[in-house]
Amino acid sequence: MTGIPGSRPVGNQGYTSSTVVIIGAGISGLCMAIEILNRSQCRNILLLEKGSQVGGTWNDNKYPGCACDVWGALYSFSFEQKSDWAREYPGQEEIRDYVIHVAEKYGLYKYIRFNTAVQEARWDNDHRQWKVNVAVSGYKDSQFHESYQITTDFLVSAVGQLNIPSWPSIPGLDDFTGKLMHSARWDLTYDFIGKRVAIIGNGATSAQITSELAKSVSQLTVYQRTPNWVIPRHDASISPVQKFLLSYVPPIRWCKRAIQMQYREAIHEATVRKSDSWLARYMRKMAVDAMQTQLRDKPGLWAKLVPNYSSGCKRIILSDDYFAALNRDHVHLETRPIQRVTGYGIETADGDLREYDLIIVATGFRSVEFMYPIQVYGQNGRPLSEVWKDGASAYYGVTVEDLPNFGMLYGPNTNLGHNSIIVMIEAQSRYLSTLIAEVVRAKAHGNSLVLQPRPDVVATFNDRIQAELRESTFADPNCHSWYKLENGRITNNWPGLAVRYQREMSRVRWEDYLVEGTGKSRVQGKKATHIGRVQEELPVRTTTLVLSALGVAFAVSAYYLEF
Ligand code: NA7
């Protein structure tokens, strides 16, 4: 049963087929669905979500202190801007609620199948469709069937880069008899107040947890392997007056958003390209000054907390209170390497053992293993693991060699170190929905259409961005990060400005694609489809001046009116 291409069949029909399948109902999966619904006639879409709520990483990460490290004013869709964030840097619950609001407002719940984990996707050359095998979890859902197969004409992966927790291979970790949890699988029923706590790792997640837990645990030890650059965040709550103005005087909200976008793009040079620029040096000085000020009682720690690599090589941590937490008497920074975990605590390389009630593993995600653990087989059964044997790569992070009618959001080389990922996700959704619209149109006319990027185009694109990345701060050999492989190849980050990505993605060049199927004539020979971009930054010239003047007026009034 294939159903009418444009719409989902009524009732229980067509359960095992869908014109489009999107894996994941996080920010990118929902954005993709909205774009398809807006830009094409297609209503026959399915979002397969292994969790039981929308939100993706913002539903998974529920640890104390979890917040966004991008300003809230920038962290919402351009078409659904949130104007009443409680804080400049919103917390997890508020972001998850925003994502739920989007799913409700755009009527997406009816397209989502929860408790459904994709295990394998295989392209069927004969039928020109994907066969997607899913496992059903959830006590009741799995009583109907534990697994089944869905066929689809176009498959989109929206699983993101921060999806599967990375567990360290520390000897004895499983032998610990106290409470053990990964930061991305926080047990909200566990009462940590008054407990002796260890936290392994000191990345962005650990810094947020440390700042929060230091307030209520009896003892807290942070196990640091490599120091990070930490700069002040200057977070603040947003007053009711400002919320009112942002909500009811949209130009003020646009102005705030545009200025923040402009600022974020302006720091790209210092964070990604030139670690010796005056701004990069200023940022590092600001980081060291803030650390020494907040950690005034423990000068012995200062040298251990200054990294020996470019700021930007790893994600810069934004925090107003991490070092202040480390300054407290019951909080301890441990830099001796961990040797093993015992039944009761953690032993360092010199044999020193400390006992704990709770060990928090804040060691990040399996970020370079895109789509893990889903097994994908493309054209002629070629495994994706073979296409990606030297590391994940894709054409602008969205389409992959030998994977027909397949798209990715937040795929290889699309992560940013300096700006909001939502800007990238919107550009990707526009682009992919243009490909999808053609496939849907062909199907509606009883034809088939198969699109996959030309290998030479993908290779040229990747050679170009890899050359740029080799010159970026991400490539600093003194640091390893979740952006790159052990051999130094940077698989996760985009080298340029977010605006440059938007511009390069603002047209679909059909000549970049191998086109097959009975409906290929509509696309073959066509040069490009212009899809435009969402301009978030300030345009130069007159508008720049006007918005800047507005921004200054806004800031001055905010200061005098104390909102
Ligand atoms: P990150 O940034 O990947 O940080 C992981 C931390 O865990 C980092 O300090 C690592 O040290 C440490 N780590 C990893 N493996 C080990 C082992 N085996 N032993 C000791 N320490 C270890 O993850 P986060 O969750 O903090 O942040 C991920 C992103 O989420 C963040 O950038 C935001 O964008 C949101 P290392 O530095 O590798 O020496």
Side-chain angles (χ1 to χ4, degrees), residues 244-498:
F244 177 86
L245 289 173
L246 292 169
S247 301
Y248 296 104
V249 191
I252 293 182
R253 184 177 72 242
W254 302 333
C255 186
K256 183 174 181 180
R257 190 169 163 115
I259 289 172
Q260 292 189 347
M261 174 76 183
Q262 197 82 17
Y263 173 86
R264 284 280 181 167
E265 290 289 84
I267 62 168
H268 173 266
E269 177 90 348
T271 51
V272 180
R273 285 174 48 77
K274 289 195 178 142
S275 61
D276 58 350
S277 68
W278 73 266
L279 185 55
R281 286 201 303 274
Y282 174 75
M283 282 165 70
R284 292 197 289 270
K285 182 176 177 326
M286 187 167 60
V288 173
D289 288 351
M291 184 265 288
Q292 294 181 349
T293 308
Q294 288 183 30
L295 209 53
R296 58 189 168 278
D297 303 329
K298 298 182 180 175
L301 292 184
W302 292 356
K304 295 176 178 176
L305 288 163
V306 180
N308 67 344
Y309 54 82
S310 339
S311 44
C313 179
K314 283 171 185 265
R315 189 152 183 109
I316 296 173
I317 296 175
L318 300 184
S319 176
D320 297 325
D321 42 15
Y322 176 57
F323 294 122
L326 289 184
N327 195 51
R328 297 172 81 139
D329 289 342
H330 67 294
V331 182
H332 178 68
L333 178 74
E334 182 58 75
T335 56
R336 290 173 294 181
I338 297 171
Q339 177 158 280
R340 66 184 181 118
V341 174
T342 71
Y344 303 98
I346 297 179
E347 190 180 283
T348 43
D350 54 3
D352 190 25
L353 174 70
R354 277 175 178 248
E355 294 189 356
Y356 300 105
D357 304 306
L358 165 66
I359 297 179
I360 301 162
V361 176
T363 48
F365 302 87
R366 300 175 75 141
S367 55
V368 293
E369 299 165 82
F370 290 81
M371 292 195 71
Y372 175 87
I374 304 169
Q375 299 294 313
V376 182
Y377 301 90
Q379 186 83 36
N380 300 318
R382 188 177 180 201
L384 182 58
S385 55
E386 190 198 299
V387 182
W388 284 352
K389 62 181 187 309
D390 297 324
S393 62
Y395 186 50
Y396 284 98
V398 288
T399 51
V400 180
E401 174 188 338
D402 266 340
L403 298 193
N405 289 357
F406 174 85
M408 291 183 92
L409 289 127
Y410 195 13
N413 295 110
T414 62
N415 182 56
L416 298 176
H418 74 287
N419 209 336
S420 166
I421 196 64
I422 294 181
V423 175
M424 307 292 273
I425 288 169
E426 284 194 30
Q428 292 155 10
S429 304
R430 278 177 169 236
Y431 184 98
L432 287 174
S433 64
T434 311
L435 302 188
I436 291 168
E438 287 297 339
V439 172
V440 171
R441 188 176 289 120
K443 191 174 178 184
H445 289 89
N447 289 319
S448 59
L449 180 65
V450 179
L451 303 166
Q452 54 181 317
R454 279 173 35 204
D456 59 316
V457 170
V458 181
T460 307
F461 166 78
N462 275 298
D463 289 348
R464 174 163 67 87
I465 61 161
Q466 285 299 330
E468 281 184 61
L469 286 163
R470 278 194 291 278
E471 302 300 316
S472 71
T473 57
F474 309 135
D476 187 334
N478 285 333
C479 95
H480 57 102
S481 74
W482 64 264
Y483 303 155
K484 58 188 180 185
L485 304 177
E486 288 296 324
N487 67 12
R489 183 186 169 96
I490 297 151
T491 50
N492 291 55
N493 284 14
W494 171 248
L497 294 169

Side-chain angles (χ1 to χ4, degrees), residues 176 179 181 195-201 209 213 219-223 345-346 354-362:
F176 184 61
K179 180 75 178 173
M181 52 188 170
K195 298 291 194 318
R196 299 165 304 166
V197 181
I199 179 157
I200 301 176
I209 296 174
L213 258 61
Q219 182 195 317
L220 177 61
T221 305
V222 179
Y223 285 82
I346 297 179
R354 277 175 178 248
E355 294 189 356
Y356 300 105
D357 304 306
L358 165 66
I359 297 179
I360 301 162
V361 176

